[in-house]
Amino acid sequence: MSELARAGHQPGSTGPDPSPGLDLRTDVPHSARVYDHILGGKENFPVDRAAAAEIVRHWPNLPTSMRANRQFMARLAQVLAAEYGLRQFLDIGTGLPTPPNLHEVVQRVAPESRILYVDNDPIVLVHARALLTSTPAGRTAYLDADLTDPDAVLASEQLRDTLDLSRPVAVSLIAVVHFIGDDDVVRDIITRLMRPLAPGSILALSTCTADSAPEEVRVGVAAYNASGIPLVARTKAQVEALFDGLDLIDPGVVLAHHWHPDAAASATDDAHVHMYGAIARKR
Ligand SMILES: C[S@@+](CC[C@H](N)C(=O)[O-])C[C@H]1O[C@@H](n2cnc3c(N)ncnc32)[C@H](O)[C@@H]1O
């Protein structure tokens, strides 16, 4: 029996077995696997499913909010490729492969698009093969690295081989900065990530808020923290301040389902979405 099966992994896994020595820490919940379980994925373990059940008991609209976030990511990728002409993407905090993945959306618009995915969770590394299905004209690559060390991301061989920093890049931080509690730390990371990028580069970000459902999110964030996963909710003003030095693009910081909504997003209740989303341009 494989390590994954022993740990209670469900069948249907799309990735290779973990490399020997890779510590998946199947004894503690991980944000990537909790998110995967709530979105209906199979790449998670009993400890993640138990944590997810407990968190959702306190935060009943979390699944709706997570789906709204994932759909925001897909609309964002479509808009950046089709309307803004972006062809290079640096997606940090990628998560487990969940169709449609970012490269699938942007390469449908422009097959030559190049995407570097970055995550620090070993389970994402195990399943990264499902992200490396680029069109022949484009390229996808995966880097196992931490958002809190942006210089390592920028200096990586994978970045050098995938992205041309003399041309605009879209950096996406989707549902990841809410795992970093200190606003100054997040702003510093963003400043360092955007500094070497060409004018016209874009920062796309989504992050948790309690503005739309203060009591539910307060209790839900406490349940997340009790499971061992640090999570913070930010106000609209705090999220806007994360874009300091960049030009926010209309409609600015909005609940994720209000960003370029399609019919399904338009029908979603504001009180059920606890994520802000926005994009901004580097001058
Ligand atoms: C909630 S999932 C979001 C996945 C995807 N971006 C989305 O929105 O659908 C958060 C992801 O961020 C990753 N993550 C959390 N902290 C990170 C860090 N410091 N560096 C890199 N990745 C991180 C987790 O491993 C997880 O895969």
Side-chain angles (χ1 to χ4, degrees), residues 31-32 35 39 66 69-70 73 91-96 118-121 124 145-148 173-176 178-180 206:
S31 64
Y35 184 68
L39 288 180
M66 284 180 166
N69 174 68
R70 190 72 195 174
M73 187 283 292
D91 181 59
I92 309 181
T94 296
L96 283 152
V118 182
D119 204 286
N120 69 347
D121 194 311
V124 182
D146 202 294
L147 173 62
T148 59
L173 304 177
I174 309 300
V176 62
H178 48 218
F179 299 117
I180 302 172
S206 71

Side-chain angles (χ1 to χ4, degrees), residues 2 13 57 61 63 75 88 113 128 140 151 159 166 187 189 195 197 202 204 224 230 243 263-264 281 283:
S2 74
S13 158
R57 196 166 70 76
N61 287 302
R75 294 197 307 280
Q88 304 196 94
S113 298
T140 59
D151 299 337
L159 186 133
S166 69
R187 258 197 304 271
I189 289 169
R195 190 180 291 139
L197 305 188
I202 296 279
Y224 243 103
F243 291 91
R281 189 187 283 109
R283 254 172 262 155

Side-chain angles (χ1 to χ4, degrees), residues 84-115:
Y84 290 82
L86 270 293
R87 297 292 180 261
Q88 304 196 94
F89 296 83
L90 172 57
D91 181 59
I92 309 181
T94 296
L96 283 152
T98 306
N101 294 297
L102 189 147
H103 73 282
E104 293 160 346
V105 177
V106 300
Q107 289 188 338
R108 266 200 294 271
V109 176
E112 72 275 24
S113 298
R114 300 170 78 87
I115 299 95

Side-chain angles (χ1 to χ4, degrees), residues 1-282:
M1 188 188 268
S2 74
E3 183 193 334
L4 287 169
R6 250 196 315 279
H9 185 254
Q10 294 180 338
S13 158
T14 51
D17 274 343
S19 345
L22 198 58
D23 186 0
L24 294 178
R25 292 301 312 272
T26 56
D27 55 332
V28 286
H30 278 216
S31 64
R33 302 183 317 220
V34 168
Y35 184 68
D36 176 69
H37 174 65
I38 294 177
L39 288 180
K42 294 190 183 331
E43 314 310 336
N44 47 74
F45 298 93
V47 69
D48 308 304
R49 299 194 277 276
E54 182 61 11
I55 294 165
V56 171
R57 196 166 70 76
H58 291 91
W59 194 346
N61 287 302
L62 180 62
T64 302
S65 186
M66 284 180 166
R67 281 192 295 275
N69 174 68
R70 190 72 195 174
Q71 289 155 5
F72 163 76
M73 187 283 292
R75 294 197 307 280
L76 171 79
Q78 172 73 26
V79 168
L80 290 179
E83 296 180 23
Y84 290 82
L86 270 293
R87 297 292 180 261
Q88 304 196 94
F89 296 83
L90 172 57
D91 181 59
I92 309 181
T94 296
L96 283 152
T98 306
N101 294 297
L102 189 147
H103 73 282
E104 293 160 346
V105 177
V106 300
Q107 289 188 338
R108 266 200 294 271
V109 176
E112 72 275 24
S113 298
R114 300 170 78 87
I115 299 95
L116 176 60
Y117 289 115
V118 182
D119 204 286
N120 69 347
D121 194 311
I123 192 80
V124 182
L125 175 63
V126 166
H127 294 284
R129 184 185 290 173
L131 299 167
L132 304 180
T133 54
S134 175
T135 55
R139 181 170 191 140
T140 59
Y142 183 80
L143 173 66
D144 179 26
D146 202 294
L147 173 62
T148 59
D149 189 359
D151 299 337
V153 173
L154 291 165
S156 67
E157 197 182 312
Q158 287 89 335
L159 186 133
R160 215 175 32 250
D161 290 349
T162 311
L163 305 177
D164 170 2
L165 297 195
S166 69
R167 293 171 38 234
V169 174
V171 175
S172 46
L173 304 177
I174 309 300
V176 62
V177 300
H178 48 218
F179 299 117
I180 302 172
D182 188 323
D183 290 9
D184 290 339
V185 170
V186 176
R187 258 197 304 271
D188 180 58
I189 289 169
I190 290 172
T191 302
R192 284 154 65 194
L193 273 176
M194 299 302 289
R195 190 180 291 139
L197 305 188
S201 290
I202 296 279
L203 171 68
L205 182 146
S206 71
T207 194
C208 178
T209 183
D211 287 359
S212 50
E215 185 55 18
E216 180 181 350
V217 176
R218 186 188 66 75
V219 173
V221 166
Y224 243 103
N225 291 334
S227 79
I229 301 172
L231 179 76
V232 292
R234 290 189 165 90
T235 64
K236 185 170 184 173
Q238 280 178 293
V239 179
E240 284 170 345
L242 298 179
F243 291 91
D244 277 357
L246 301 168
D247 295 332
L248 269 170
I249 298 175
D250 265 359
V253 173
V254 290
L255 290 173
H257 64 302
H258 286 310
W259 199 90
H260 291 247
D262 54 17
S266 298
T268 306
D269 191 328
D270 284 2
H272 298 171
V273 178
H274 314 141
M275 295 290 289
Y276 276 133
I279 69 172
R281 189 187 283 109
K282 178 177 177 176

